[in-house]
Amino acid sequence: MCSPCALPRGSILYIHCSLALIVVGADVRFGVDCTKLREFFSPAERRFDRIYFNFPHCGKKSGVKKNRELLAKFFCSCAEVLTEKGEVHVVLCRGQGGTPADQPTREWHNSWQVVAMGAGGGFILSDVHPFEAEHIPGYECTGYRSQDKSFCVEGALNHIFTRSLPFPHPSRLICQIKLDSKCISFQVPEIFVDKINRVREGN
């Protein structure tokens, strides 16, 4: 999936990429809203193993807040069309992600907070590795500030997200103690149940 804005309509690059994908059997679509993926694919098509979003950006001079919102909506949208063991790949420019892998690391409030945005959609960051454009045949970056102009991808990182495991709701735990001649029962607060169960398993 890609946006028609990613490549100039009349450019040789646009034509080449489109034809190359069609030749190998790809279903090329344009005008797909990444925040509403479910609306653009039939129920039978909503089974993606991988979803890629290279260098997302709201366009023009949008700040980090708007781009965070874009990522948050994108991840929630992915959750509706991704297979259970699928992956979401998000490539960001140097420093944008806000993870320790970024060098140099931006201040948290000035980053896109990609991990937190992914968590909102039920995803966890499983891996991070450098984005190596030179190893992708035919790849050419374009669209700097909505212009037909490339931007710097040096230091860019590919963030790979997978679905997080559902949080197991702790079962009720009742403890009993003997006080003098009386037996007293009480329910253990949920925040302590997991710790007590781990101690039990260790024994």
Side-chain angles (χ1 to χ4, degrees), residues 1 32-41 45-48 51 53 69-83 87-88 117-123 163:
M1 296 177 291
V32 176
D33 187 340
C34 71
T35 66
K36 300 176 182 178
L37 294 175
R38 185 175 180 177
E39 297 181 10
F40 291 85
F41 299 94
E45 295 173 315
R46 299 173 195 162
R47 300 290 296 171
F48 293 105
I51 298 176
F53 201 173
E69 292 174 357
L70 171 64
L71 286 179
K73 292 178 181 178
F74 165 70
F75 279 113
C76 288
S77 178
C78 288
E80 298 181 317
V81 298
L82 191 72
T83 57
E87 297 177 347
V88 178
M117 300 305 104
F123 294 95
R163 292 184 185 273

Side-chain angles (χ1 to χ4, degrees), residues 77-135:
S77 178
C78 288
E80 298 181 317
V81 298
L82 191 72
T83 57
E84 202 60 36
K85 295 185 179 181
E87 297 177 347
V88 178
H89 293 235
V90 179
V91 179
L92 298 176
C93 291
R94 175 187 289 173
Q96 287 179 338
T99 71
D102 280 303
Q103 296 297 329
T105 304
R106 289 188 189 179
E107 294 181 355
W108 174 248
H109 70 273
N110 194 35
S111 74
W112 291 18
Q113 302 174 5
V114 66
V115 174
M117 300 305 104
F123 294 95
I124 57 173
L125 183 63
S126 298
D127 195 12
V128 180
H129 58 75
F131 176 72
E132 299 174 326
E134 63 276 11
H135 293 162

Side-chain angles (χ1 to χ4, degrees), residues 19-194:
L19 291 177
L21 289 169
I22 293 171
V23 166
V24 297
D27 181 6
V28 179
R29 302 188 188 187
F30 298 102
V32 176
D33 187 340
C34 71
T35 66
K36 300 176 182 178
L37 294 175
R38 185 175 180 177
E39 297 181 10
F40 291 85
F41 299 94
S42 66
E45 295 173 315
R46 299 173 195 162
R47 300 290 296 171
F48 293 105
D49 294 311
R50 288 186 182 182
I51 298 176
Y52 290 85
F53 201 173
N54 291 342
F55 305 105
H57 199 277
C58 289
K60 298 184 179 180
K61 294 184 179 181
S62 53
V64 292
K65 185 177 180 180
K66 285 188 176 180
N67 286 304
R68 283 186 208 136
E69 292 174 357
L70 171 64
L71 286 179
K73 292 178 181 178
F74 165 70
F75 279 113
C76 288
S77 178
C78 288
E80 298 181 317
V81 298
L82 191 72
T83 57
E84 202 60 36
K85 295 185 179 181
E87 297 177 347
V88 178
H89 293 235
V90 179
V91 179
L92 298 176
C93 291
R94 175 187 289 173
Q96 287 179 338
T99 71
D102 280 303
Q103 296 297 329
T105 304
R106 289 188 189 179
E107 294 181 355
W108 174 248
H109 70 273
N110 194 35
S111 74
W112 291 18
Q113 302 174 5
V114 66
V115 174
M117 300 305 104
F123 294 95
I124 57 173
L125 183 63
S126 298
D127 195 12
V128 180
H129 58 75
F131 176 72
E132 299 174 326
E134 63 276 11
H135 293 162
I136 304 176
Y139 180 83
E140 183 175 332
C141 64
T142 186
Y144 178 73
R145 292 184 179 176
S146 303
Q147 302 172 14
D148 185 14
K149 178 182 177 182
S150 62
F151 55 92
C152 180
V153 298
E154 183 180 351
L157 295 175
N158 183 16
H159 305 78
I160 302 174
F161 289 83
T162 54
R163 292 184 185 273
S164 59
L165 296 175
F167 180 75
H169 189 74
S171 57
R172 293 179 60 186
L173 180 63
I174 306 297
C175 287
Q176 292 183 336
I177 61 171
K178 209 166 190 180
L179 187 61
D180 295 331
S181 59
K182 296 181 180 179
C183 187
I184 302 175
S185 300
F186 62 92
Q187 183 176 338
V188 177
E190 287 187 2
I191 59 174
F192 298 122
V193 171
D194 183 56

